[in-house]
Structure formats: structure tokens, C-alpha cells
Amino acid sequence: MPTDVPAPRQSPPAPAEPTAEPSRQGWLNRLRTGLKKTGSGIQAVFVNAQIDDELYEQLEEALLMADTGIPAAEHILQDLKDRVWRHSATTPQAVRNLLVDAVAEVLKPLEKPLEIGRHTPTVIMVAGVNGAGKTTSIGKLTKHLANEGCTVLLAAADTFRAAAREQLAIWADRNLVEIVSQAGGDPSAVAFDAVNAGKARGKDVVLVDTAGRLPTQLHLMDELKKIKRVIGKADTEAGSGVAAPHEVLLVIDGNTGQNALAQVKAFDDALGLTGLVVTKLDGTAKGGVLCAIARWGEERARTKPGTAPVPVYFIGVGEKLEDLETFDAREFAQALVG
Ligand SMILES: Nc1nc2c(ncn2[C@@H]2O[C@H](COP(=O)(O)OP(=O)(O)O)[C@@H](O)[C@H]2O)c(=O)[nH]1
Ligand SMILES: [Mg+2]
């Protein structure tokens, strides 16, 4: 039986403040604090405001400052105007609540649970630029999956630096899970061995860490494609028509701004992404780039039949094991709008 890890939270229909359980509430506060700059920028627009063209202009400016990019900002503004008209909203507070609705609707396609259990093992390959938070997110994800009762095997396919292997080994120790690692080996070979070991040992999930790289480093992107290809060869379920890796995740640093969208596009072209992890949203991230990614995903789904928006499975709000949470469009919209 496939199990969804974890179940998405239902969004409340009304734009009221969410009443989350205490642990999630604490984490939400961290997200709010992280996105404070954006939140207070947008909130300031509503102080003593009239509902007129100037308000919409200032809102568009605030959205652009938050890194939404022009297409997403224009889309949100147009939708907001429609909502204000439909609801006959007359107070700044009502318009603000409708803005939360509009942003939540843009972000909604990004909300999707990571599904584990359809394949044994579920093979998850993790990619991204240097320092994005790949290895840390793998550590946190391992804990998250273990909490859901899944057994995990880690593959240290970042073979360039000994320190990278050691870092993953520390996360493996903390989580009491096994790791497949090889000094100076070929990353494809490590990934291949790990998938075979995961299969032989009956693991639920194999998480493959890879070395950071820029999309412009073409030979390194080719190497990433090779890792993906070779993982497919190791997969004994490949005959079923669904070759591993079953998930290809891109980890992006929430502080990267609009460049994050460029990274998503480039890694998607090379690998065909199935999901995203957005890290460091506890810092000084502006957060609006998720709106840009959502709009791009919608556009891609429209122009390339058979494709769906690339969901944000998790967001990172700190460096500790428990600082990874599922993405909830409404919560994020609320934190963003302040
Ligand atoms: N504040 C904060 N720091 C993070 C988060 N995720 C990762 N980091 C830090 O970012 C740095 C790079 O992380 P690492 O996992 O090594 O990146 P990698 O090169 O992509 O594997 C480390 O110092 C991490 O502790 C996060 O969600 N919040
Ligand atoms: Mg790393």
C-alpha cells in the first residue's frame, strides 16, 4: 500500500489565521520571522490606505521586491482586483485577506506530498548548486522519513571531497541509518551500488546525495545525467515501465531570489525534476520566488502536455534535524503577506 509522506494539511476556506498544532505553530513563527522583510513590506502598503490605483501600484512594487518576478506579480494583482470587485471589499484589511487568497491560489499547484511505498526502494536523487543545502536536507529528510516508519539508505555520490562524504556520514550516524560510500569513487558507481544495496536490504528509500554544480558547468551536468541513467540500470523494477530514480529533487537556497527560477529551469531541462526543496527560509529570504516557480510550472503544464508543475515537497527553516516541514500554500501565503 503506498503511503503518502506526509499527508497535506487541508487549507481552511476562509482567510483566517491558521490554528496549527503547537509544533507546527512554532515552525510557522520561524517561517514568518524569516519572511519578515517581505511581510512587513506588504503590510506597510495597507497602513492608512485607500483602495485605489496607488494601492495596487504599491502592492505590485512590494511583490516585485519580494522576488515574485513580473509575470507572477501581474497575475496576482489582476486576480486581486477581480476578488476585490467580487467581494465588494472596502477596507484595507479585507483587501489584505483577499491578497492572501490570491497568493495561496498561485502557490497551490506546488503543494503535493512526497509519495513513498509505490516502489521498493523508492529512489530519490538530490541535486543542486553548491551550498544550497542538499546534504543537510537529506539529513532532515531521513529523520522525517524515519518518523513515518520508513527505512532509509544513504548514498554518498558526492565523491569529489572527502569532507562531503564525512558530512553525510554524520547525518547517517545521527539518524542511525546505513550509508554507501566510497573514497574517490565514480559517483554513478556509488549510486548504482547503493540502489542495489537498498534493494537487497529491503530498504523503503534510497537517498542519493550528489556534488553541487552550476547549470553552466556542462560536463558536471552531463555527469549528473549519467548518475540518473546508471541508477535506472540498477533498478530491478525498471521492467515495470517506471525506472528509478523515482524522484529527482532540486534543492534551492531560498535566498537566491529570481536566480532560483533559472536553476529550476536548467536542472529540469537536464534531469526532468519531480520536486523541490527550498531551504534557508529562516534567514533573510524574500520567498516570492515560489510564486514565480508556480507560475512557470503552470505555464509548462499548459505548453507541454503530460507535464505537471514541479511541487515543493519540503521547506527548510533551520540547520537542525527537525527544521524541515511540508509545504502548505496557505501558510506560506500568510507568512509572505505578513
Ligand atoms: N539557516 C539555515 N541554514 C541551512 C539550511 N539548510 C542548510 N543550511 C546550511 O547551509 C550550509 C550548506 O549546506 P549543505 O547541506 O552542506 O549544502 P550542499 O552543498 O548543498 O550539500 C550549511 O552550513 C547548512 O547548515 C536551512 O534551512 N536554514
Ligand atoms: Mg553537500
Side-chain angles (χ1 to χ4, degrees):
M1 261 291 283
T3 50
D4 285 352
V5 180
R9 286 164 42 77
Q10 286 292 313
S11 299
E17 295 291 305
T19 45
E21 64 266 27
S23 66
R24 188 138 187 134
Q25 192 62 54
W27 166 84
L28 259 176
N29 289 340
R30 205 109 54 84
L31 179 64
R32 281 222 164 110
T33 311
L35 300 178
K36 202 166 85 197
K37 204 163 168 222
T38 295
S40 45
I42 293 179
Q43 243 178 4
V45 175
F46 288 107
V47 175
N48 298 325
Q50 309 282 330
I51 301 163
D52 54 14
D53 284 349
E54 199 192 323
L55 172 74
Y56 290 120
E57 263 165 42
Q58 286 183 3
L59 272 181
E60 183 160 8
E61 238 168 74
L63 288 171
L64 291 174
M65 294 281 286
D67 285 333
T68 61
I70 292 171
E74 284 179 348
H75 177 89
I76 290 167
L77 257 291
Q78 189 52 55
D79 183 35
L80 177 63
K81 287 177 189 171
D82 292 348
R83 284 171 196 267
V84 168
W85 185 79
R86 281 204 310 275
H87 288 80
S88 311
T90 52
T91 64
Q93 185 56 30
V95 178
R96 181 210 162 268
N97 290 343
L98 292 171
L99 177 62
V100 174
D101 288 351
V103 173
E105 191 168 302
V106 164
L107 295 174
K108 194 76 184 169
L110 301 182
E111 201 181 272
K112 189 181 166 220
L114 172 64
E115 204 177 278
I116 304 292
R118 200 181 285 273
H119 309 279
T120 313
T122 298
V123 180
I124 303 175
M125 177 176 167
V126 179
V129 304
N130 264 318
K134 293 178 294 299
T135 308
T136 309
S137 297
I138 286 175
K140 297 182 202 171
L141 187 52
T142 303
K143 157 106 171 159
H144 186 92
L145 292 166
N147 286 349
E148 304 286 329
C150 296
T151 53
V152 179
L153 178 72
L154 301 182
D158 179 352
T159 55
F160 286 133
R161 298 171 302 124
R165 286 196 308 276
E166 282 157 21
Q167 189 191 358
L168 194 69
I170 291 169
W171 286 109
D173 280 351
R174 277 184 203 157
N175 283 300
L176 303 172
V177 299
E178 293 162 45
I179 178 169
V180 170
S181 176
Q182 194 185 91
D186 173 51
S188 306
V190 173
F192 183 83
D193 287 352
V195 175
N196 283 333
K199 188 85 196 169
R201 299 177 202 171
K203 301 291 180 194
D204 296 313
V205 181
V206 175
L207 280 170
V208 182
D209 192 17
T210 63
R213 65 204 76 214
L214 292 170
T216 47
Q217 296 172 301
L218 296 182
H219 61 297
L220 294 180
M221 292 305 276
D222 282 343
E223 183 196 68
L224 211 49
K225 290 184 202 170
K226 183 178 163 196
I227 297 174
K228 187 185 172 195
R229 233 174 18 245
V230 171
I231 287 175
K233 291 194 177 132
D235 180 27
T236 48
E237 276 188 359
S240 68
V242 189
H246 308 103
E247 299 282 351
V248 181
L249 306 188
L250 180 71
V251 177
I252 45 180
D253 179 336
N255 296 289
T256 326
Q258 278 282 299
N259 188 253
L261 178 61
Q263 287 175 21
V264 173
K265 287 180 185 171
F267 277 91
D268 183 55
D269 278 347
L271 297 171
L273 298 177
T274 64
L276 304 173
V277 178
V278 184
T279 63
K280 308 189 195 182
L281 289 167
D282 53 313
T284 52
K286 295 175 177 173
V289 72
L290 264 69
C291 297
I293 292 170
R295 291 304 303 161
W296 165 77
E298 288 284 275
E299 186 60 32
R300 187 184 76 147
R302 217 180 9 256
T303 51
K304 268 198 216 169
T307 59
V310 183
V312 174
Y313 285 136
F314 298 98
I315 58 180
V317 287
E319 296 179 274
K320 294 200 295 296
L321 263 182
E322 59 276 13
D323 293 336
L324 187 79
E325 264 299 345
T326 49
F327 174 76
D328 180 295
R330 174 157 286 274
E331 282 176 357
F332 198 88
Q334 227 134 18
L336 206 60
V337 174

